[in-house]
Amino acid sequence: IITMDDIVREGNPILHQPTKEVTLPLSDEDKETLICMMNFLKNSQDPEMSKKYKLRSGVGLSANQIGLNKRMFVTYFTDDQGKLFEHYVINPKIISHSVSMIYLPPAEGCLSVDREVQGFTPRYERIKIKAYNLEGEEVILKLKGYAAIVFQHEYDHLEGIMFYDRINKENPFQVPENCRSLY
Ligand SMILES: O=C(O)C[C@@H](Cc1ccccc1)[C@H](O)SCc1ccccc1
Ligand code: NI
């Protein structure tokens, strides 16, 4: 199973460079990898498993976070409307987004970052993503609010961007005029 030992930490070049598109249809190996990544998220949110394997809770995981140069990530979380976002996201592309932006207070975190980074990470409030699922079918996802934040955090990983790269260097708690808190 995937444990924290398998999670690559910041500083490793694979986290700071763009990942390569995955060949479709998915090989059995890539499918198995994605299923293992999804099981990590589920285990990390399970009281027994997270305790047993000392897992940090995660709602998303990108392939380069486990050292694979592949343009794919998984998400597993429920939003405040109770909607489950269990998604295998392969070769994603953000095809449109709102002008309005939001940030997650007090700050984002990352399984690949073993330190607290203070400051706000501005994200688009709404995004439309085109991607492929485990079966190789094209899917269009329309996301807003917290779900949009999670998907942009993972999407950035595939681009080699960390959440702190987007924090204002001069004033970490300053955000653009069109950006407001999620809550
Ligand atoms: O490192 C990752 O990519 C997983 C992150 C994703 C994430 C971070 C900040 C904001 C949205 C998504 C982990 O899920 S961070 C830990 C966490 C756990 C539960 C809820 C929010 C963040
Ligand atoms: Ni992260």
Side-chain angles (χ1 to χ4, degrees):
I1 75 162
I2 295 175
T3 67
M4 296 311 292
D5 293 346
D6 303 303
I7 307 267
V8 164
R9 304 303 151 91
E10 59 177 328
N12 185 315
I14 198 161
L15 279 177
H16 305 280
Q17 67 198 32
T19 51
K20 293 192 186 85
E21 288 218 334
V22 178
T23 307
L24 294 175
L26 287 174
S27 65
D28 289 346
E29 186 184 359
D30 284 346
K31 277 186 192 169
E32 276 156 38
T33 299
L34 285 158
I35 291 164
C36 284
M37 290 166 65
M38 183 65 77
N39 286 333
F40 169 83
L41 294 182
K42 293 177 177 176
N43 292 339
S44 78
Q45 295 173 34
D46 176 285
E48 261 126 65
M49 293 298 278
S50 60
K51 188 169 184 202
K52 181 174 176 185
Y53 292 100
K54 299 182 177 42
L55 308 178
R56 274 187 63 191
S57 173
V59 295
L61 186 70
S62 65
N64 52 337
Q65 285 185 281
I66 57 168
L68 296 176
N69 186 356
K70 290 175 180 284
R71 197 172 172 82
M72 58 193 203
F73 66 78
V74 293
T75 66
Y76 187 74
F77 64 93
T78 303
D79 72 2
D80 49 11
Q81 319 293 322
K83 183 169 190 251
L84 175 66
F85 288 82
E86 179 172 6
H87 288 283
Y88 298 88
V89 184
I90 293 105
N91 296 340
K93 180 104 186 75
I94 293 179
I95 53 177
S96 69
H97 61 77
S98 60
V99 170
S100 57
M101 302 184 86
I102 50 175
Y103 64 86
L104 180 70
E108 294 193 7
C110 183
L111 295 172
S112 298
V113 179
D114 295 328
R115 60 191 170 100
E116 189 191 299
V117 180
Q118 298 205 325
F120 299 149
T121 299
R123 302 277 187 196
Y124 297 119
E125 184 168 12
R126 289 179 302 283
I127 57 171
K128 199 174 350 177
I129 285 192
K130 186 182 91 167
Y132 296 86
N133 62 17
L134 267 188
E135 289 71 37
E137 298 154 341
E138 183 184 295
V139 292
I140 304 283
L141 297 168
K142 294 170 80 171
L143 306 158
K144 65 179 188 297
Y146 179 70
I149 291 172
V150 175
F151 276 70
Q152 287 171 81
H153 179 108
E154 300 310 325
Y155 188 91
D156 270 356
H157 273 309
L158 301 184
E159 300 289 306
I161 298 168
M162 305 294 279
F163 74 91
Y164 49 71
D165 296 333
R166 296 186 181 278
I167 296 174
N168 184 304
K169 306 264 181 304
E170 287 72 46
N171 173 353
F173 300 99
Q174 183 182 321
V175 293
E177 190 269 331
N178 59 338
C179 184
R180 61 172 183 78
S181 173
L182 174 63
Y183 304 119

